[in-house]
Amino acid sequence: MIMIKKQPIRPSHLGGLNYPIRIIPLGGFEEIGLNMMIIEYNGKMIIVDMGLGFPEEDMPGIDFIIPNIAYLKGKEKNILGVFITHGHYDHIGAIPYLIEKLGNPPIFTMPLTAGFILKRQEDFPGVPKLEIHRLKKDEVVHLGSFKVGYFRVNHNIPDGIGLVINTPVGKIVHSCDFKFDYTPINDEPIDEKKLKAIGESNVLALLSDSTNAENPGHSLSESVVLENMDQMFQKAKGRIITATFASLISRIQIIFMLAEKYGRKVAIDGYSMKANVAIARELKYLKFSSETLIKPEEVDKFSDNKIVVLGTGAQGEGNAVLMRIASGEHRFIQIKKGDTVIFSSSVVPGNERTVQRLKDTLYRRGAKVYHYKMMDLHAGGHGQQEDLRQMLELIRPKYFIPIHGNYYMLKLHGEIAESVGIKPENIIIAGDGDAIELLSGKVEVVKEKAPAGYVMVDGLGVGDVGEVVLRDRQVMAQDGMFVVIVIVDSKTGKIRGDPDVISRGFVYLKESRALIGEAKSKVKKIVSKAASPEHTMNWAYVRDQIRERLGQFLFSKTERRPMILPVVIEI
Amino acid sequence: MIMIKKQPIRPSHLGGLNYPIRIIPLGGFEEIGLNMMIIEYNGKMIIVDMGLGFPEEDMPGIDFIIPNIAYLKGKEKNILGVFITHGHYDHIGAIPYLIEKLGNPPIFTMPLTAGFILKRQEDFPGVPKLEIHRLKKDEVVHLGSFKVGYFRVNHNIPDGIGLVINTPVGKIVHSCDFKFDYTPINDEPIDEKKLKAIGESNVLALLSDSTNAENPGHSLSESVVLENMDQMFQKAKGRIITATFASLISRIQIIFMLAEKYGRKVAIDGYSMKANVAIARELKYLKFSSETLIKPEEVDKFSDNKIVVLGTGAQGEGNAVLMRIASGEHRFIQIKKGDTVIFSSSVVPGNERTVQRLKDTLYRRGAKVYHYKMMDLHAGGHGQQEDLRQMLELIRPKYFIPIHGNYYMLKLHGEIAESVGIKPENIIIAGDGDAIELLSGKVEVVKEKAPAGYVMVDGLGVGDVGEVVLRDRQVMAQDGMFVVIVIVDSKTGKIRGDPDVISRGFVYLKESRALIGEAKSKVKKIVSKAASPEHTMNWAYVRDQIRERLGQFLFSKTERRPMILPVVIEI
């Protein structure tokens, strides 16, 4: 990938010379998550979101990925500010990894989001203090040529906002994650009036969330979830154990509301759940009476029909609260007959099998399980096709740039835009690292790209695991590995003793003695043969021969291709 | 697991002495797939189905699993026959692996199923000829004390049957995979009349399919799929490329019907798709004119709106036809603008991310993609809650044993049975290897279990990959491995030169020279220290020390735990 050249000066529609606005997504245009975007004008820039992404199936061992900021290297002084739209990890999660490298620019966001950002920062000792500005009601932030306002949206975390970015070229609206919820829980509906007014003020470009662009209809209201969960609370005779994401503050509010309605105490467990509830409650985004909250160790003090347990683990995560409760490893709470377990979140693709197994365990231990397939127990935070159409009709932009999603989701969102009358040539489907240049009369994805290769985080390593390491992991996961060690006398070129074999993940060694024995004599032969005058000491050649011929031999015997690692040691 | 003891003689309800009927599932009671069941009376037995199962996420590299037949060892002569209910791999797939070991007992099945079994057998050279009996209309097979009849069911492959097994203890009905489809395609509706008559003849036990027990309502009719696909055929202006499972003969029939309706040719590609179409057509389960079928290499001879391509790959399988077409690796067919791609099968849990990526590729190359999320393009072959209820109400058994599914699915199916009036104590939720004993007055899961541990197939190896090998694969997939080789002088106990390090999947070695260097000196120190008089030659201890202390060191530096393999060679 080539770094984008300095912006050329172009003739402006006003007759003079003008710079284009340049929009560069560093992530979120080819995947769900990893949201980070640069908006640049005449070399100065603002950033929207700084989130992490989730590893693909072909990235074994990777914890998560973060955006590639190579484009910003050397331009740190030109970053005027970072706007964070809401507190989910795919929007805030990369801050501790990147903000210092970007020169610690000021962050502009809403109070709850600020709370989550600061809480996460505590997990990274040694990082510098953040400069966070909490946005006031209707505040417009002036940064160089940018004037940035915001509008409230509905999502499944409070304090979500979209942005109105006024630039010398025109007005850019960034919807961020949103849905239209006219009956949200402990929140206000999306600011439709403001959106309408924005739409009447000549919007140059709309950037809008495509996560649910393939799902027809309107997204579900949190009130529907409340009603359905209410039915379960009514029916449940024993304890209620609920699992959801720790970031779904609206869902957590519903659970507290119902607990109080039915006179149940709520025991919260899990690090992130406890932390998020504390932050959201302190900032008054979560409302419940102090008497409702109890500790997990107090659960047995109350009768079963007075208890709600609230934890993480609806995705079957290995060490989340629900998994520990189900497997009997939780210190205070075990599943017993009569428990009702409610999974109040949809299953993230890739987790289905794990969740099925978790459900097996829960049923085996006598619980009754409810999950979103049986009833609407989860409302997505992302607008579906009708929400997306509504946003487009309110904002009525000249240009439309679908954001957040795989390519096909952006494409489908583009089709929705076309259906409401946006001209096809004004719809831009871009990819990570693309630079979209806008001048009021023209839009263009320039040829050069910003580097957008994934930066993988694995343990303490950031970006040190690349394709080679991943490919090796994949090969070893498939068929294991086979190390063969040969000691050669440097004087005679002859092999000393038998080769040693270390193999893991290939065959069960104790039951494969004959195979290993044959492999050893194969190697011996290869080495002896290679030790002829013309090849002597050409150990690279010997290693290649071992790799190739031993590989063929093992494949012919097993139809497996372990990674073969020949070690030749001369002494 | 303990092998089940010889059956005890029990007092019969008829006054004399009688044997119980023993039902032993060898698979399919704790998972989807792996269907195989023994029905035993006085030591003689019949087998229902012999299918393969699919590997779980924690079984990297495993191709598939087959049932464990340890219980049948030494009892081969007592196997009177094998009934195969339909031609899907989770019902026929283990035959080539197991039938010879079971003494090649006769197989009773329907003609199309026989065709698929024989075709698969061709892939296994050297296996003995099968003894297959094709069931005639309303045939009842007499095998010892068993009289086995059948009834036609709807599924998404023709010739699916359920079984009526008359035994001295009573009548057992095995539904196998079924749904009620009153408007199937090129097939007759399920034999409801016969089911009703069976229900009126005093059924002792019903065994019924639980795969879709958590899905409310009735399952979709194939006719709905036909109607929806018809709309797409109407709209499509270019080529139509459809992907489905090769075993979904009903779906394949729909595609041919629509192709002929709209004057399109059909190019079939893929080994299994071509083979299945040939078999089903020869046996007259698939109807189309010879002129409709063309070869993939002939596609370009016709105009785009005259073409349908039919292949496998709707799950994003790596080397299936659709993947090769999408990636540009297909010899004759590439995606081009104007193509319509129809995914006509649901996505199997675990394949979502792969399918998303495939859809990205198709959209990028200009295709329009339809899949089942947007419209009902796939009808499951398995009855949903209302179908299951209907079966229970028709058969009205005394005992109910849900089959085919994870534990929670069986449990949910049990709840449906309870809701139609089956007594809770007469509903048996069993697991793989459980022996369910029925005497007309009593049902019991006996204490002993038949061995039911998975037998994994990996390449040519059947059952040679066990937990140890899988765990090693998992560890190496997560954090790679780290082999350290130390050469020690046997006389002095001193290390010779520097240790050698071979590491893969852990860190990128070229960029981690310092870390590797430190690791080497760490190992040198451990070995030198261990070479004190009291430890000399205790190489097991030295290896343990290296494993432990090097592991700690690498974790402290990287927060990764590669598999550490110390090799100490004395010379």
Side-chain angles (χ1 to χ4, degrees):
Chain A
M1 275 169 205
I2 308 150
M3 295 284 275
I4 300 165
K5 293 180 206 131
K6 204 174 160 357
Q7 285 186 324
I9 298 169
R10 302 237 190 111
S12 125
H13 64 297
L14 298 170
L17 288 176
N18 208 346
Y19 294 96
I21 274 287
R22 196 179 253 178
I23 298 171
I24 307 174
L26 296 181
F29 273 51
E30 296 180 15
E31 57 279 302
I32 298 285
L34 198 70
N35 299 301
M36 180 167 176
M37 178 185 288
I38 299 162
I39 300 180
E40 187 174 0
Y41 178 77
N42 188 14
K44 301 285 179 188
M45 46 188 104
I46 59 170
I47 290 171
V48 180
D49 289 331
M50 207 175 280
L52 48 80
F54 305 100
E56 297 286 330
E57 285 153 359
D58 57 359
M59 302 178 186
I62 298 301
D63 302 333
F64 49 83
I65 51 182
I66 58 174
N68 190 324
I69 53 166
Y71 176 76
L72 295 167
K73 209 164 180 185
K75 300 176 187 154
E76 296 78 7
K77 280 187 186 155
N78 299 330
I79 302 171
L80 305 174
V82 178
F83 290 82
I84 303 289
T85 58
H86 63 276
H88 285 159
Y89 273 19
D90 53 337
H91 295 260
I92 69 167
I95 294 175
Y97 293 92
L98 302 181
I99 199 87
E100 195 174 358
K101 289 187 183 154
L102 298 177
N104 208 9
I107 294 173
F108 301 86
T109 193
M110 298 294 278
L112 181 65
T113 313
F116 285 134
I117 293 171
L118 291 171
K119 173 71 199 163
R120 183 162 160 81
Q121 213 65 4
E122 289 172 14
D123 298 340
F124 293 79
V127 291
K129 199 167 170 299
L130 298 179
E131 190 186 333
I132 296 196
H133 297 255
R134 287 169 186 77
L135 293 166
K136 292 181 200 74
K137 191 169 158 42
D138 294 323
E139 184 175 352
V140 176
V141 180
H142 292 243
L143 294 170
S145 317
F146 299 98
K147 292 187 194 80
V148 187
Y150 73 92
F151 51 92
R152 278 185 306 93
V153 297
N154 298 122
H155 191 35
N156 40 28
I157 186 169
D159 258 2
I161 55 170
L163 302 172
V164 186
I165 304 158
N166 291 286
T167 76
V169 177
K171 192 181 293 243
I172 295 167
V173 175
H174 185 302
S175 77
C176 203
D177 293 356
F178 75 97
K179 63 174 176 176
F180 286 85
D181 190 342
Y182 296 107
T183 51
I185 300 297
N186 190 25
D187 196 4
E188 280 171 70
I190 186 169
D191 200 341
E192 206 172 337
K193 228 184 196 169
K194 202 164 182 177
L195 286 172
K196 200 155 185 282
I198 295 165
E200 283 159 3
S201 69
N202 199 13
V203 172
L204 180 66
L206 168 66
L207 294 84
S208 178
D209 174 34
S210 313
T211 309
N212 262 345
E214 61 173 343
N215 294 3
H218 258 295
S219 74
L220 212 64
S221 168
E222 284 291 327
S223 297
V224 178
V225 178
L226 175 68
E227 281 163 33
N228 288 335
M229 297 255 289
D230 195 325
Q231 287 181 39
M232 276 156 218
F233 271 71
Q234 268 181 53
K235 276 188 222 158
K237 296 199 176 76
R239 302 183 303 182
I240 294 175
I241 297 167
T242 57
T244 191
F245 290 109
S247 59
L248 291 186
I249 303 297
S250 326
R251 201 62 41 80
I252 295 169
Q253 178 67 69
I254 288 176
I255 291 158
F256 272 102
M257 284 167 76
L258 290 172
E260 296 192 337
K261 177 173 174 186
Y262 291 98
R264 289 174 180 256
K265 303 287 181 191
V266 179
I268 300 185
D269 201 20
Y271 174 76
S272 56
M273 188 64 91
K274 282 197 278 194
N276 286 8
V277 167
I279 294 166
R281 190 177 184 216
E282 198 190 313
L283 297 172
K284 308 213 187 305
Y285 290 87
L286 252 184
K287 287 177 191 156
F288 57 86
S289 144
S290 303
E291 284 166 23
T292 304
L293 198 65
I294 60 167
K295 292 192 177 128
E297 51 265 48
E298 296 174 308
V299 161
D300 289 341
K301 289 188 192 161
F302 300 85
S303 62
D304 288 351
N305 63 357
K306 296 289 171 223
I307 288 294
V308 174
V309 176
L310 171 58
T312 53
Q315 302 296 319
E317 302 96 317
N319 38 23
V321 174
L322 183 58
M323 193 62 106
R324 282 188 284 126
I325 291 177
S327 63
E329 283 164 23
H330 195 280
R331 275 208 296 165
F332 308 110
I333 306 163
Q334 279 84 39
I335 292 291
K336 58 184 186 186
K337 213 172 148 66
D339 284 347
T340 298
V341 178
I342 305 176
F343 285 71
S344 182
S345 67
S346 61
V347 177
V348 173
N351 295 342
E352 290 80 2
R353 297 287 281 264
T354 316
V355 170
Q356 284 185 345
R357 278 200 295 260
L358 175 56
K359 277 162 39 177
D360 276 349
T361 310
L362 293 167
Y363 270 105
R364 275 182 206 284
R365 296 187 179 231
K368 173 84 196 152
V369 179
Y370 291 104
H371 68 121
Y372 77 107
K373 257 198 188 171
M374 299 163 156
M375 215 185 249
D376 288 328
L377 295 180
H378 177 68
H382 301 269
Q384 298 180 193
Q385 288 174 357
E386 292 314 311
D387 302 72
L388 304 183
R389 198 183 309 278
Q390 200 169 339
M391 180 61 84
L392 279 154
E393 281 168 348
L394 283 165
I395 299 299
R396 297 185 299 162
K398 178 166 181 185
Y399 299 115
F400 176 63
I401 304 167
I403 63 172
H404 299 174
N406 282 45
Y407 180 83
Y408 78 91
M409 301 170 189
L410 307 185
K411 187 83 185 160
L412 287 169
H413 199 177
E415 288 174 14
I416 296 170
E418 216 178 312
S419 78
V420 304
I422 311 275
K423 287 184 198 158
E425 64 271 25
N426 288 356
I427 298 167
I428 305 101
I429 315 290
D432 291 341
D434 277 346
I436 305 157
E437 290 195 353
L438 293 168
L439 259 182
S440 41
K442 208 182 153 197
V443 64
E444 188 190 356
V445 176
V446 300
K447 267 191 190 157
E448 300 94 325
K449 286 191 76 167
Y454 290 165
V455 176
M456 289 178 270
V457 178
D458 180 2
L460 293 180
V462 178
D464 67 337
V465 171
E467 276 182 28
V468 175
V469 172
L470 282 186
R471 205 176 46 230
D472 287 345
R473 287 184 185 176
Q474 287 161 19
V475 170
M476 293 190 292
Q478 280 301 306
D479 287 326
M481 57 85 175
F482 198 95
V483 180
V484 55
I485 302 163
V486 179
I487 308 233
V488 174
D489 190 308
S490 57
K491 284 175 206 139
T492 63
K494 292 244 160 72
I495 192 164
R496 280 177 67 148
D498 268 349
D500 274 295
V501 165
I502 315 284
S503 175
R504 291 290 186 278
F506 167 51
V507 290
Y508 191 52
L509 289 184
K510 283 197 182 150
E511 289 171 3
S512 310
R513 288 219 178 107
L515 179 72
I516 304 297
E518 279 185 77
K520 282 183 181 177
S521 26
K522 200 108 202 153
V523 171
K524 246 177 140 166
K525 264 188 215 152
I526 296 166
V527 177
S528 315
K529 206 178 153 197
S532 64
E534 68 268 34
H535 287 309
T536 307
M537 314 306 280
N538 185 353
W539 297 120
Y541 171 80
V542 175
R543 283 197 300 268
D544 280 351
Q545 282 286 303
I546 294 176
R547 224 182 327 255
E548 190 177 316
R549 293 174 55 192
L550 186 58
Q552 281 165 5
F553 169 73
L554 294 177
F555 183 77
S556 74
K557 291 287 180 185
T558 63
E559 287 198 1
R560 293 175 207 168
R561 299 192 185 282
M563 177 184 285
I564 294 177
L565 297 164
V567 182
V568 181
I569 300 174
E570 275 189 279
I571 55 162
Chain B
M1 278 169 202
I2 307 149
M3 295 283 276
I4 300 165
K5 292 181 205 132
K6 203 174 163 351
Q7 285 186 324
I9 297 170
R10 302 240 190 106
S12 127
H13 66 293
L14 299 169
L17 288 177
N18 208 346
Y19 294 96
I21 274 286
R22 197 178 252 180
I23 298 171
I24 307 174
L26 296 182
F29 273 50
E30 296 180 15
E31 57 279 303
I32 297 286
L34 199 70
N35 300 299
M36 180 167 177
M37 178 185 287
I38 299 163
I39 300 181
E40 188 174 359
Y41 178 78
N42 189 15
K44 300 286 181 188
M45 47 188 103
I46 59 170
I47 289 170
V48 181
D49 289 330
M50 205 173 281
L52 49 81
F54 305 99
E56 298 286 331
E57 285 154 0
D58 57 359
M59 302 178 185
I62 297 301
D63 301 334
F64 49 82
I65 52 180
I66 58 174
N68 190 324
I69 54 167
Y71 176 76
L72 295 167
K73 209 165 180 184
K75 300 175 189 157
E76 295 77 7
K77 281 187 185 152
N78 299 329
I79 302 171
L80 305 174
V82 178
F83 290 82
I84 303 290
T85 58
H86 64 275
H88 284 160
Y89 274 18
D90 54 336
H91 295 261
I92 69 167
I95 294 176
Y97 293 93
L98 301 180
I99 199 86
E100 195 174 358
K101 289 186 182 156
L102 298 177
N104 209 8
I107 294 173
F108 301 87
T109 193
M110 299 294 278
L112 181 64
T113 314
F116 284 134
I117 293 171
L118 290 172
K119 174 70 199 163
R120 183 161 159 81
Q121 212 66 3
E122 289 172 14
D123 297 339
F124 293 80
V127 293
K129 199 170 170 300
L130 298 179
E131 190 185 333
I132 296 195
H133 296 256
R134 287 169 186 77
L135 293 166
K136 289 179 202 77
K137 192 169 156 40
D138 295 324
E139 184 174 351
V140 176
V141 180
H142 292 244
L143 293 171
S145 315
F146 299 97
K147 292 188 194 80
V148 187
Y150 74 91
F151 50 92
R152 278 184 307 94
V153 296
N154 297 121
H155 191 37
N156 40 26
I157 187 170
D159 259 1
I161 54 171
L163 302 172
V164 186
I165 304 159
N166 292 285
T167 77
V169 177
K171 193 181 295 245
I172 295 166
V173 176
H174 185 301
S175 77
C176 203
D177 293 355
F178 75 97
K179 64 174 176 176
F180 287 86
D181 191 342
Y182 297 106
T183 51
I185 299 298
N186 191 24
D187 196 5
E188 281 171 68
I190 186 169
D191 201 340
E192 205 172 338
K193 226 179 192 173
K194 202 165 181 176
L195 285 173
K196 198 153 186 282
I198 295 165
E200 282 158 4
S201 70
N202 198 13
V203 172
L204 180 66
L206 168 66
L207 294 85
S208 178
D209 174 35
S210 313
T211 308
N212 262 345
E214 62 173 341
N215 294 4
H218 257 295
S219 73
L220 210 65
S221 168
E222 284 291 327
S223 297
V224 178
V225 178
L226 174 67
E227 281 164 32
N228 288 334
M229 298 256 288
D230 195 324
Q231 286 181 39
M232 276 155 221
F233 271 71
Q234 267 182 53
K235 276 188 224 159
K237 295 197 178 77
R239 304 183 303 180
I240 294 176
I241 297 168
T242 57
T244 190
F245 290 111
S247 58
L248 292 186
I249 302 297
S250 325
R251 199 65 39 81
I252 295 168
Q253 178 67 69
I254 288 176
I255 290 157
F256 272 102
M257 283 167 77
L258 291 173
E260 297 192 336
K261 179 173 173 187
Y262 290 97
R264 289 174 181 257
K265 304 287 180 191
V266 179
I268 300 184
D269 202 19
Y271 174 77
S272 56
M273 187 63 91
K274 282 196 279 193
N276 286 7
V277 167
I279 294 165
R281 189 177 185 217
E282 197 189 312
L283 298 171
K284 307 211 186 309
Y285 291 86
L286 250 184
K287 287 175 190 156
F288 57 86
S289 145
S290 305
E291 284 166 24
T292 304
L293 198 65
I294 59 167
K295 292 191 176 127
E297 51 266 47
E298 296 174 307
V299 161
D300 288 340
K301 291 187 190 163
F302 299 85
S303 62
D304 289 350
N305 62 356
K306 295 289 172 221
I307 287 295
V308 173
V309 176
L310 170 58
T312 53
Q315 303 295 319
E317 303 96 316
N319 39 23
V321 174
L322 183 57
M323 193 62 105
R324 282 188 284 127
I325 292 177
S327 63
E329 284 163 23
H330 195 281
R331 276 209 294 165
F332 307 111
I333 306 163
Q334 278 83 40
I335 292 291
K336 59 184 184 186
K337 212 171 149 66
D339 285 346
T340 298
V341 178
I342 304 176
F343 284 72
S344 181
S345 66
S346 60
V347 177
V348 173
N351 294 345
E352 288 80 2
R353 298 286 281 263
T354 315
V355 170
Q356 283 185 346
R357 278 200 294 258
L358 175 56
K359 277 159 48 174
D360 276 348
T361 309
L362 293 167
Y363 270 104
R364 274 182 207 284
R365 296 187 179 231
K368 171 86 197 150
V369 179
Y370 291 104
H371 68 121
Y372 75 107
K373 257 200 190 173
M374 300 165 156
M375 215 185 247
D376 288 328
L377 294 180
H378 178 69
H382 301 270
Q384 298 180 195
Q385 289 175 357
E386 292 313 310
D387 302 73
L388 304 183
R389 198 185 310 278
Q390 198 169 340
M391 180 60 83
L392 279 154
E393 280 168 350
L394 283 165
I395 300 297
R396 297 184 299 164
K398 178 166 182 185
Y399 299 114
F400 176 63
I401 305 167
I403 64 173
H404 300 175
N406 282 45
Y407 179 84
Y408 79 90
M409 299 170 190
L410 308 183
K411 186 84 185 164
L412 287 169
H413 199 177
E415 287 174 15
I416 296 170
E418 218 180 311
S419 79
V420 304
I422 312 273
K423 289 183 196 158
E425 64 271 25
N426 288 357
I427 297 167
I428 305 100
I429 314 290
D432 291 340
D434 278 346
I436 305 157
E437 290 195 354
L438 292 168
L439 258 183
S440 41
K442 210 181 152 197
V443 64
E444 188 190 357
V445 176
V446 301
K447 267 191 191 158
E448 299 96 326
K449 286 190 76 167
Y454 289 163
V455 176
M456 289 177 268
V457 178
D458 179 3
L460 293 179
V462 177
D464 68 336
V465 171
E467 275 180 31
V468 176
V469 172
L470 282 187
R471 206 176 44 230
D472 287 347
R473 287 183 185 176
Q474 287 161 20
V475 169
M476 293 189 293
Q478 281 301 307
D479 287 327
M481 57 84 171
F482 198 97
V483 181
V484 56
I485 303 164
V486 179
I487 309 235
V488 173
D489 189 308
S490 57
K491 285 177 206 137
T492 61
K494 292 244 161 71
I495 192 164
R496 282 178 64 147
D498 268 349
D500 274 297
V501 165
I502 314 286
S503 175
R504 291 290 186 279
F506 168 50
V507 289
Y508 191 51
L509 290 185
K510 284 197 183 152
E511 288 171 4
S512 311
R513 289 219 178 108
L515 180 72
I516 304 297
E518 280 185 73
K520 283 183 181 176
S521 24
K522 199 110 204 152
V523 170
K524 246 177 140 166
K525 264 189 215 149
I526 295 167
V527 176
S528 314
K529 205 177 152 196
S532 64
E534 66 268 33
H535 288 309
T536 307
M537 315 305 280
N538 185 354
W539 296 120
Y541 170 81
V542 174
R543 282 197 300 267
D544 280 350
Q545 281 286 304
I546 294 176
R547 224 182 326 257
E548 191 178 314
R549 293 176 54 194
L550 186 58
Q552 281 166 4
F553 169 74
L554 295 177
F555 184 77
S556 74
K557 292 287 180 186
T558 63
E559 286 198 2
R560 294 176 205 167
R561 298 192 186 282
M563 177 184 285
I564 293 177
L565 297 163
V567 183
V568 180
I569 300 174
E570 276 188 279
I571 55 161

